[in-house]
Amino acid sequence: MTDVDYDLAPTVAQTRALEQEREGSLRDSALAAANHPLGLLVLRLAAFAVIVLAWQLASGRLIDPFWVSSPSRVAVRMGHWIATGYLFDQVGATLKEAAIGFLLGSAIGIAVGAVAGYFKLLGKILEPLVLAFYSMPAIALAPLFLLWFGIGDKSKIAVSATTVLFIVFFNVYTGLRNVDEELLNIVRILVAKRRDILAKVIAPSTLTYVFLGLKVSLPFALIGAFVAEMVSSTRGLGFMLQSAVNELRLARGQPPSAARVARLP
C-alpha cells in the first residue's frame, strides 16, 4: 500500500464515523421531539390534517359527496349550529344525562360492590346474576327503560347509570376480593377493631380498583346516554345522529335525488 493509501484510510474511516454519529444524533433528536408532549401534539395534529385533506380531495373527485360529504360542508353546517346555539343545546342535554347517570351508577356500583365483596357468600350469589345482566348490551335495555320511564331524560339516565354500574361493581368487588389475606390475619392477631380494619387495610387496598372503575366507566356513561337517545329521544347528540340518518342528511347542502335514494341497499 502506498503512502497516499495510508493517509486516506483514516480519513475515510473518520468521515464514515462522523456520518454515523450525525445520523444517530438526528435520529435521537427526532425521537426526543416525538416523545415530547408538544412534539407529540404537533404530530397528532399533522396526522389529523392529512386525513382531513385526503377526505376533502377525495370528495367529489373519487367519491360522490352524497355518500361522504366533505370537511368544508361539515364546517359550514357546524358553524351554523354554533351560531344559532343549536349544537350547545344538544351537547348540554347529552352531557347532563351522562353526568347524572355516571354519578348514580358509580354510587350504586360502589355500594353494591363493597357489600358483595365484604360478605363473600352474598358475593358468590350476586356475581353470576350481575354478570348475566352485564353481558346484555345497553341498546337492548333502552326500550325497556323507555317503557318504564318514558321518552324524557329519565330513560337515558337509567341506561347510562346501568352501563356504569356494572363496570364499577366488578372493579370494587374484585378489589375487595384481592385484599391481602396475610395482612388481614396479622391485623386480626393484633386485635384490631373492625372499623380499623375497614379504614386502614381494606379501604386503601381497594381504592386503586375504585378509581380504575370510575376511569373506565366515564366514557361508557356518555355512550349509554348517546345510544339511548338514538333509540327514542327529542334532543341530544344521539337524536341528532339518528335524525340525520333517517333524513339522509350528510351535510351535503342539497336533498338526495330519487336516483341516489334508489341506489341505497
Side-chain angles (χ1 to χ4, degrees):
M1 184 180 291
T2 62
D3 295 338
V4 178
D5 293 333
Y6 280 113
D7 293 338
L8 289 178
T11 304
V12 173
Q14 290 176 0
T15 303
R16 291 177 178 174
L18 289 174
E19 290 178 353
Q20 292 177 356
E21 183 179 354
R22 189 180 298 109
E23 291 177 358
S25 61
L26 291 175
R27 191 183 306 110
D28 294 340
S29 301
L31 290 174
N35 291 327
H36 192 274
L38 182 59
L40 185 60
L41 177 61
V42 172
L43 292 176
R44 287 173 176 173
L45 292 176
F48 178 74
V50 169
I51 294 173
V52 172
L53 180 61
W55 178 14
Q56 181 66 42
L57 294 176
S59 178
R61 294 176 175 86
L62 301 177
I63 307 175
D64 191 336
F66 172 76
W67 305 108
V68 296
S69 187
S70 67
S72 58
R73 290 175 177 173
V74 172
V76 171
R77 181 63 62 87
M78 291 286 291
H80 174 70
W81 285 343
I82 293 174
T84 58
Y86 176 74
L87 181 62
F88 298 113
D89 292 339
Q90 308 308 315
V91 172
T94 302
L95 291 180
K96 174 187 173 183
E97 296 161 358
I100 298 176
F102 175 75
L103 295 175
L104 185 62
S106 299
I108 298 175
I110 291 174
V112 177
V115 173
Y118 188 76
F119 299 100
K120 294 184 178 181
L121 178 59
L122 180 61
K124 292 179 180 180
I125 296 173
L126 292 179
E127 183 176 2
L129 299 176
V130 176
L131 185 61
F133 281 105
Y134 179 59
S135 62
M136 297 177 61
I139 195 170
L141 298 174
L144 184 61
F145 289 132
L146 179 66
L147 178 64
W148 289 350
F149 302 110
I151 199 173
D153 294 346
K154 292 181 180 180
S155 59
K156 286 72 179 175
I157 293 172
V159 175
S160 178
T162 304
T163 306
V164 172
L165 187 154
F166 294 123
I167 299 174
V168 176
F169 168 84
F170 278 112
N171 275 271
V172 175
Y173 178 71
T174 303
L176 285 169
R177 295 293 299 271
N178 289 337
V179 175
D180 192 350
E181 289 291 339
E182 294 184 2
L183 182 59
L184 289 175
N185 293 332
I186 293 173
V187 174
R188 292 190 184 102
I189 291 174
L190 296 175
V191 198
K193 296 181 180 179
R194 178 172 296 184
R195 65 171 179 269
D196 293 329
I197 296 175
L198 288 172
K200 298 180 180 180
V201 178
I202 296 179
S205 300
T206 313
L207 277 179
T208 302
Y209 292 86
V210 173
F211 287 119
L212 178 61
L214 295 176
K215 179 182 178 180
V216 173
S217 64
L218 182 58
F220 283 92
L222 186 60
I223 293 172
F226 191 88
V227 169
E229 289 172 351
M230 291 183 64
V231 173
S232 180
S233 181
T234 57
R235 61 175 185 165
L237 295 176
F239 163 75
M240 290 178 63
L241 176 61
Q242 192 61 39
S243 176
V245 170
N246 293 337
E247 299 174 9
L248 298 177
R249 288 187 285 106
L250 295 175
R252 60 192 171 278
Q254 58 182 4
S257 63
R260 282 171 170 170
V261 174
R263 286 158 50 192
L264 292 175

